[in-house]
Amino acid sequence: MSKPKSTVEKHVFQAEIRQLLDILAHSLYTHRDIFVRELISNAADALDKARFKSIKGESLADPNLDFEIQIELDKDKRLFTIRDTGIGMTHDELVNNIGTIAHSGTSEFIKQLGENGGDKLNLIGRFGVGFYSVFMAGDKVEITTRPADPETPAYRWTSDGQGSYEIEPGPADAKRGTEIRVHLREDAQQFAEKYTIESAIKKYSNFVPFPIKVDGEQINKQSAIWREPKTAVKEEQYKEFFKFIANETEEPLTWMHFSADAPIQFHALLFVPKTNREAIGFGKDETGINLFVRRVMVDNHAQEVLPDYLRFVRGVLDSDDLPLNISRETLQENAYLHKISSTVVGRFLSHLQELAEKEPKIYREIWQQYGRVLKEGYMDFAHKEKLAPLFRFDSSKNSEAGATVSLSDYVKRMRDKQEAIYYLSGATREAIEKNPTLEIFKAKDIEVLYCTDPVDEFALPGLIEFDKKPLQSVDQADLKKIEGIEPLEKKEEAESAPEVSDKELRDLARRFKDILGDRVEEVVLSERLVDSPAVLVGTTPGLSAQMEKLMHMMQHDTPMPKRKMEINGKHPLIHRLLKIYQKDAKSPFLQQAVETLFDSVVLLDGMITDPHAMALRTQQMLTQSTELYMKDLKEEK
Ligand code: ADP
């Protein structure tokens, strides 16, 4: 055994450390329990290293000692002692590791701490400050450490955190590992209370994979199951773990357990809760999973890992490649985290896709709960390819309530010569079904997705295309593109429809426009109507009628969107109006009829601006038609 240096050496802390110690001791009074986390984390690291040595077959001092962390509390003496059976430190390691600042980011952190008034607590909570945080609670700290190498002696390090520390040989009977004894400051005596320490452990260190005992009792119950191979974790354990981290009583709908080794090492365990809290009035969910670095939780609500549209996901990400002392700001910029995040998102979306294929019932539940949130992801171009196939819609081909189709289902049953994927938005399925713009699609048996969710208005055009097929709103569709698609069964030609020429109809349309004036952009002959006499369609290319309405509702000062009126040249009502027009172009009845027809299409369109005038016109119309009816009655007599 090499001989311990026998004298007491006095060392002075690095200037930065002195600065840090000063801040820690004088200006931080809450979140001080972080020092427990930091010491446990160091102990767990040291245990990891010792375990690794032993796995490699190297001999350890005190080989019979269990790998564990013991905390002892003495209220009367105001002592907090933490002991680990880890790798320990040599004399030089004590000097180099506990007396200098190794991390390049630390000086910057100290600078920020010094400058930031109110934000200090936040900063310290996120950064962690390593071993020195112990001086938030203690005014004297003694470290006794014995390296795992059986030949190396123990040393003792002592400091009051005032600028210097002393090192002397440790007791000959010191056991493998490190003991840190903290003499608590008068205002920090709660850290000698079991309750305080227990809560800190449960809050920060519950998944440290070594037993943490406080006065002999093991406090941490859970192991880091996300770090275990999938085959070693039972379904029950997953469920229990989920309930613990998500604070849930229900079981998760699904989970994904995934580990990667190269190029970046990480473990992810993600869960989908059964109930969407957002949908039951809990307000917008905050994105957030537990971020661990080397088994130590650095953020229990890390928003940088998953995008907003996966905010319902709960779980854990743990990586050895991230720095433990990481702040929110540096998290956002961390290139590793970006890569991890992108891999995790991709994997998770694939997991959902797999679920949709293998467990459609469960996926359906997920969609019901979170479909609306998932659709917000249409802007995530990096994952569009994986996201779009997860989307589900109601459709003109769905007969049972609540049934949905995927875009792939849709594409599979597209009609011959059909090039685009068509959708139509509206408040309800019923409202959409009655929309006259659908008629030509129904007649040609072209499937249309029914979109009743406002986010669809953004999500579908946002996707632009799926499987190389453009997504188009029915009321914006270029009808030339479906000209060549034949109806499945040819309808019997309408019984002896009177011959009217397009020219005659165009004249009538012109008269319509005269009557309606500024209320419509133009009146044209329709190619999309089959059963209805008329319809209003939008005039802004690329914007569906529904979208125009939404925009108008959101920005009240934008003018009412202009509409184009289309009339159905095969409809008996239009034929009759044509006759009246041809007999008397200025007929007041024609005027009334056109106005009323217009009112009816406005009602269908849903943008009613003047209900009083509308009601009045309907009543005038009724008065006129009853008068005609009375005339008929008289003539019959
Ligand atoms: P960090 O843990 O971020 O490296 P710390 O200031 O907490 O920063 O610790 C500095 C170094 O001191 C550690 O990297 C480690 O080498 C050493 N150390 C701290 N605590 C222990 C311990 N319980 N056992 C062995 N080494 C330790």
Side-chain angles (χ1 to χ4, degrees):
M1 210 185 244
S2 64
K3 229 173 167 287
K5 295 179 184 165
S6 55
T7 44
V8 177
E9 309 161 22
K10 203 172 159 115
H11 295 256
V12 179
F13 285 122
Q14 242 183 340
E16 278 123 320
I17 294 182
R18 283 207 300 275
Q19 199 186 344
L20 174 64
L21 286 170
D22 191 56
I23 296 165
L24 290 173
H26 294 110
S27 53
L28 294 159
Y29 295 101
T30 48
H31 287 242
R32 288 196 292 183
D33 59 354
I34 277 166
F35 89 88
V36 180
R37 171 183 90 174
E38 296 297 319
L39 295 187
I40 288 177
S41 147
N42 283 347
D45 274 353
L47 284 164
D48 257 338
K49 287 177 192 154
R51 187 161 62 181
F52 187 58
K53 255 181 182 296
S54 128
I55 289 168
K56 281 195 303 185
E58 293 178 28
S59 54
L60 300 185
D62 305 307
N64 297 328
L65 284 182
D66 287 335
F67 293 114
E68 64 178 18
I69 298 167
Q70 292 167 1
I71 293 174
E72 262 153 41
L73 306 171
D74 187 333
K75 258 199 282 190
D76 300 333
K77 292 188 182 140
R78 275 213 320 265
L79 281 179
F80 169 99
T81 308
I82 178 169
R83 198 175 300 124
D84 67 67
T85 50
I87 190 102
M89 282 175 275
T90 63
H91 172 273
D92 292 352
E93 281 166 348
L94 267 177
V95 175
N96 291 330
N97 298 345
I98 311 264
T100 38
I101 286 185
H103 303 293
S104 54
T106 313
S107 326
E108 178 54 26
F109 165 58
I110 293 167
K111 221 177 98 207
Q112 282 195 40
L113 258 187
E115 288 164 1
N116 262 316
D119 243 333
K120 252 174 216 160
L121 298 177
N122 226 344
L123 273 174
I124 202 142
R126 301 213 169 273
F127 268 92
V129 278
F131 168 77
Y132 304 102
S133 62
V134 72
F135 287 104
M136 294 196 284
D139 49 19
K140 183 179 172 196
V141 177
E142 298 163 81
I143 305 175
T144 308
T145 181
R146 163 83 200 270
D149 170 18
E151 300 301 315
T152 318
Y155 277 93
R156 175 166 289 164
W157 178 103
T158 319
S159 176
D160 58 3
Q162 299 285 324
S164 66
Y165 61 92
E166 286 173 3
I167 295 184
E168 62 189 305
D173 62 351
K175 296 267 186 286
R176 181 189 81 221
T178 302
E179 177 187 287
I180 300 175
R181 178 182 293 221
V182 185
H183 297 260
L184 296 168
R185 285 153 45 156
E186 222 178 306
D187 63 2
Q189 46 190 327
Q190 73 265 34
F191 297 111
E193 300 276 356
K194 198 170 173 197
Y195 169 78
T196 315
I197 303 306
E198 255 189 69
S199 333
I201 293 171
K202 289 197 167 135
K203 187 153 126 203
Y204 301 119
S205 315
N206 208 25
F207 302 110
V208 167
F210 299 99
I212 306 171
K213 295 177 176 167
V214 178
D215 292 342
E217 188 199 342
Q218 183 171 339
I219 303 303
N220 61 330
K221 297 272 186 286
Q222 302 270 356
S223 63
I225 65 168
W226 60 89
R227 283 182 162 258
E228 286 171 29
K230 264 200 257 189
T231 46
V233 188
K234 295 198 188 73
E235 200 169 311
E236 268 321 303
Q237 286 175 289
Y238 283 123
K239 290 178 181 170
E240 216 169 274
F241 177 68
F242 165 72
K243 289 178 187 170
F244 177 83
I245 53 153
N247 232 338
E248 286 275 357
T249 48
E250 296 175 318
E251 290 185 353
L253 282 175
T254 184
W255 60 85
M256 180 197 80
H257 186 181
F258 173 68
S259 297
D261 262 328
I264 299 174
Q265 185 282 338
F266 69 87
H267 306 271
L269 177 53
L270 303 180
F271 297 88
V272 177
K274 198 171 172 66
T275 315
N276 182 359
R277 288 174 176 259
E278 219 173 282
I280 53 175
F282 274 84
K284 193 177 172 220
D285 242 339
E286 268 187 50
T287 316
I289 61 168
N290 296 346
L291 181 63
F292 282 71
V293 175
R294 284 165 261 155
R295 292 193 180 87
V296 178
M297 177 132 81
V298 295
D299 192 343
N300 61 2
H301 216 77
Q303 307 195 345
E304 294 76 12
V305 182
L306 296 178
D308 211 32
Y309 65 87
L310 293 179
R311 57 184 177 269
F312 55 90
V313 175
R314 297 284 170 267
V316 170
L317 180 81
D318 188 350
S319 173
D320 290 354
D321 290 341
L322 293 171
L324 191 59
N325 297 341
I326 195 160
S327 76
R328 171 152 297 185
E329 295 74 27
T330 48
L331 260 185
Q332 274 165 358
E333 289 155 17
N334 191 288
Y336 277 124
L337 192 64
H338 274 291
K339 280 192 196 139
I340 294 176
S341 155
S342 179
T343 312
V344 171
V345 172
R347 275 290 179 150
F348 183 72
L349 297 178
S350 303
H351 172 82
L352 291 184
Q353 182 59 34
E354 232 178 274
L355 198 69
E357 284 156 23
K358 293 188 185 144
E359 305 264 11
K361 252 171 109 177
I362 297 181
Y363 184 70
R364 201 158 139 175
E365 235 180 295
I366 291 180
W367 184 255
Q368 274 166 359
Q369 291 292 327
Y370 306 107
R372 191 173 271 206
V373 185
L374 274 172
K375 277 188 278 190
E376 291 174 22
Y378 69 91
M379 279 186 296
D380 185 357
F381 294 110
H383 295 105
K384 201 176 107 170
E385 302 293 316
K386 287 190 169 178
L387 202 51
L390 292 171
F391 290 179
R392 297 290 182 275
F393 302 93
D394 195 356
S395 138
S396 55
K397 295 253 161 116
N398 283 347
S399 42
E400 60 178 297
T404 54
V405 294
S406 67
L407 292 170
S408 337
D409 291 337
Y410 182 103
V411 169
K412 268 185 227 147
R413 42 191 206 213
M414 270 167 65
R415 299 239 16 222
D416 255 5
K417 298 187 198 158
Q418 184 184 338
E419 290 166 22
I421 298 172
Y422 295 102
Y423 64 92
L424 186 58
S425 298
T428 60
R429 181 183 168 90
E430 291 68 33
I432 298 173
E433 284 207 299
K434 291 196 184 89
N435 190 323
T437 57
L438 263 186
E439 287 170 6
I440 186 74
F441 290 83
K442 281 189 193 151
K444 290 182 180 269
D445 197 42
I446 297 170
E447 181 167 11
V448 174
L449 300 174
Y450 290 172
C451 301
T452 49
D453 193 344
V455 69
D456 293 334
E457 274 303 324
F458 302 93
L460 281 168
L463 290 178
I464 302 164
E465 56 172 37
F466 177 82
D467 199 9
K468 305 215 172 69
K469 318 273 186 301
L471 285 142
Q472 277 185 353
S473 176
V474 154
D475 55 0
Q476 281 290 309
D478 177 359
L479 296 174
K480 295 228 162 36
K481 297 259 185 212
I482 58 169
E483 241 170 21
I485 303 174
E486 295 293 328
L488 276 191
E489 302 157 31
K490 281 222 166 165
K491 249 195 177 174
E492 300 276 309
E493 273 300 306
E495 336 86 55
S496 61
E499 273 307 307
V500 275
S501 70
D502 275 3
K503 184 184 171 305
E504 288 172 295
L505 286 165
R506 275 200 296 274
D507 284 347
L508 178 67
R510 218 165 290 132
R511 177 70 190 126
F512 268 54
K513 168 69 180 148
D514 283 347
I515 294 169
L516 296 172
D518 278 350
R519 284 174 282 171
V520 286
E521 182 88 2
E522 55 179 333
V523 180
V524 296
L525 297 187
S526 183
E527 288 170 49
R528 68 181 91 230
L529 293 176
V530 179
D531 301 315
S532 301
V535 68
L536 287 183
V537 293
T539 54
T540 322
L543 270 192
S544 72
Q546 188 73 5
M547 182 67 139
E548 281 190 321
K549 274 181 251 173
L550 271 178
M551 286 170 64
H552 178 71
M553 279 191 284
M554 288 189 293
Q555 297 163 289
H556 292 286
D557 49 347
T558 58
M560 276 285 287
K562 274 273 169 146
R563 290 282 189 261
K564 183 161 78 173
M565 187 174 180
E566 293 188 359
I567 55 174
N568 180 359
K570 296 197 184 80
H571 197 278
L573 172 60
I574 301 298
H575 290 168
R576 285 177 203 144
L577 293 177
L578 177 63
K579 276 211 181 117
I580 298 170
Y581 166 72
Q582 285 168 340
K583 216 171 149 201
D584 175 8
K586 294 259 141 73
S587 155
F589 179 81
L590 178 68
Q591 168 131 14
Q592 285 283 349
V594 169
E595 297 261 7
T596 311
L597 179 59
F598 177 71
D599 287 345
S600 73
V601 291
V602 168
L603 276 173
L604 281 176
D605 191 48
M607 291 289 274
I608 303 148
T609 47
D610 195 355
H612 298 93
M614 255 183 185
L616 210 65
R617 278 193 294 268
T618 313
Q619 289 159 7
Q620 284 169 349
M621 192 71 199
L622 275 170
T623 312
Q624 287 197 16
S625 50
T626 45
E627 198 183 317
L628 281 172
Y629 188 71
M630 295 307 285
K631 253 194 217 161
D632 274 2
L633 278 181
K634 269 184 207 149
E635 277 165 17
E636 270 174 32
K637 269 191 177 169

